[in-house]
Amino acid sequence: GFDGRKARTKILKHEAFKEDSLRRYLFRPFDERWCYYTTEPNLWKRSRPEFGKQVRENSFLLTRAAGVAQPEGIPFLYTKTLVARDAMRGHAVAFPLFLREDAETANGQGALPGLAEKAKIDGNLSPLASNYLQSVGLEICPVNAAFLWLSVLAIGYSPAYLEENADGIRQDWPRIPLPSSLEQFKASAALGQRVADLLDTEKPLTGVTAGALRPELRSVAGLKRMDGKPLIADEDLQLTAGWGHAGKEGVTMPGRGKLMSRERTTKELSDLAQGLAALGIPQDEGLKRLGNTVVDVYLNGLCAWTNVPEKVWELYIGGYQVMKKWLSYREHSFLKRPLTLAEAEEVQAMARRLTALCLLQPELDANYLKVKSATWQVPSAE
């Protein structure tokens, strides 16, 4: 029932355009966009100022009440932005790492940059979570509260945890074991921060998306013309390989696209071996996490992102195949223009972040197994 023209006309009667209402917005996994945020009703499906006021200088762990997709993949996300309810299938719920109490402003949008005069920051903890922190010797404060949520993220991205608890996770909120020792808690939280950094697409990561890239990531998602000629941005970046099409009532549906599966070249194998050695990961373990083959992902009949590890391409988060879903919204028939070079490079960055995430899995599994072997027990009185 949404009518954009009517909504705009109605909203302009109540408020003028505000530049600081242009906000980052997590639409789908690894797909951050810009939006115009207002608490005036009808522009958004539902105005949620109580959520909006938490977004300023905050971070969020996302999950859902129950699984609705097969495969669902990883049922967790992390962001620092506004969130679409369908950022995960089954409807994402955003848990803030901190809770803010901002000074109220005349228009009730205290969360918008520059509008809040003061803010009281608390950790987002239940009484039981507070008891846990105290039991491992930590004070109750926002920083330690954030560590707790980051430890949750580290456990949630462990393939061993996801496999062992698949039935329970599918039926209800994920249950996360907590480490019984302070040392393991800090290690788990530190690992969760590394996961969070990889999921935060706005944060440049040295070695992954910025600076001198790690050897195993250098050639991942290389953008090139497959005939060997130089790539011409405006002419060669039209996404016409069939990654998306309009479904019922204009809903964007993923398409088959064009994908070529192959063995790694000698150079790609050499780079991978060098990178795995630097990370201390045996080659057979690295191939287990990335797959024995790679895919070349075509934009059109001539250009492709090459050397994408098969398990990176197949990775699902929140019920969406991450890379394929991103491409489906940017088919030329929807955009009516070629991709910009920045957009094409965003696909490279996405593939490299996901590759680094897959190569973090041995550490994530080891962390989960340590936590599982020495889990904090809820006091019997609670």
Side-chain angles (χ1 to χ4, degrees), residues 30 194-206 208-210 214 217 220 312 315 346-360:
F30 282 78
R194 292 168 65 188
V195 174
D197 290 344
L198 289 168
L199 296 175
D200 182 1
T201 60
E202 296 296 292
K203 182 175 183 177
L205 287 180
T206 301
V208 178
T209 63
R214 289 164 24 183
L217 302 178
V220 167
V312 168
L315 186 65
E346 184 66 18
V347 176
Q348 290 182 313
M350 185 191 320
R352 289 164 182 167
R353 285 177 184 271
L354 292 174
T355 300
L357 194 58
C358 288
L359 291 176
L360 199 57

Side-chain angles (χ1 to χ4, degrees), residues 113-357:
L115 292 183
E117 298 172 4
K118 299 180 187 178
K120 179 185 176 185
I121 309 294
D122 288 321
N124 186 13
L125 297 171
S126 68
L128 183 60
S130 297
N131 288 349
Y132 167 73
L133 289 181
Q134 291 174 323
S135 76
V136 293
L138 291 174
E139 65 175 318
I140 306 304
C141 69
V143 171
N144 291 335
F147 287 162
L148 184 59
W149 291 107
L150 290 171
S151 179
V152 169
L153 191 63
I155 299 294
Y157 268 75
S158 160
Y161 162 78
L162 295 172
E163 183 177 354
E164 289 181 9
N165 299 279
D167 289 344
I169 293 170
R170 186 161 49 246
Q171 294 173 19
D172 204 349
W173 298 99
R175 265 67 170 177
I176 301 291
L178 298 174
S180 59
S181 74
L182 177 59
E183 179 183 13
Q184 189 57 44
F185 172 68
K186 288 183 175 180
S188 186
L191 195 55
Q193 182 63 66
R194 292 168 65 188
V195 174
D197 290 344
L198 289 168
L199 296 175
D200 182 1
T201 60
E202 296 296 292
K203 182 175 183 177
L205 287 180
T206 301
V208 178
T209 63
L213 300 185
R214 289 164 24 183
E216 77 280 10
L217 302 178
R218 281 193 297 242
S219 63
V220 167
L223 181 61
K224 62 179 69 174
R225 280 178 56 129
M226 304 306 279
D227 61 3
K229 294 181 180 179
L231 186 144
I232 303 172
D234 288 343
E235 296 180 14
D236 294 330
L237 296 186
Q238 292 193 32
L239 196 67
T240 57
W243 292 113
H245 61 88
K248 186 178 180 181
E249 298 180 352
V251 174
T252 300
M253 302 296 293
R256 294 184 62 181
K258 182 179 179 181
L259 200 71
M260 299 296 291
S261 179
R262 61 175 175 82
E263 302 293 323
R264 288 179 175 85
T265 66
T266 301
K267 179 65 166 61
E268 289 164 352
L269 275 173
S270 175
D271 287 344
L272 177 60
Q274 184 183 349
L276 292 176
L279 294 171
I281 300 176
Q283 186 156 328
D284 59 345
E285 178 72 10
L287 292 175
K288 172 185 173 183
R289 305 296 177 165
L290 297 179
N292 291 314
T293 62
V294 296
V295 294
D296 296 332
V297 183
Y298 279 76
L299 290 82
N300 46 55
L302 193 60
C303 298
W305 292 281
T306 63
N307 187 32
V308 177
E310 60 174 316
K311 294 201 174 180
V312 168
W313 173 254
E314 295 167 356
L315 186 65
Y316 280 73
I317 298 178
Y320 297 116
Q321 188 176 351
V322 179
M323 293 188 67
K324 186 175 182 180
K325 192 66 177 175
W326 192 98
L327 294 172
S328 71
Y329 287 107
R330 288 155 176 92
E331 189 77 14
H332 186 269
S333 59
F334 297 138
L335 288 186
K336 308 300 183 186
R337 61 167 176 80
L339 296 182
T340 65
L341 186 58
E343 287 168 330
E345 289 173 345
E346 184 66 18
V347 176
Q348 290 182 313
M350 185 191 320
R352 289 164 182 167
R353 285 177 184 271
L354 292 174
T355 300
L357 194 58

Side-chain angles (χ1 to χ4, degrees), residues 11-26:
I11 289 166
L12 286 175
K13 292 179 180 178
H14 297 279
E15 66 177 52
F17 171 81
K18 296 183 292 294
E19 189 170 351
D20 58 11
S21 291
L22 294 171
R23 308 288 296 278
R24 294 297 280 166
Y25 175 65
L26 184 66

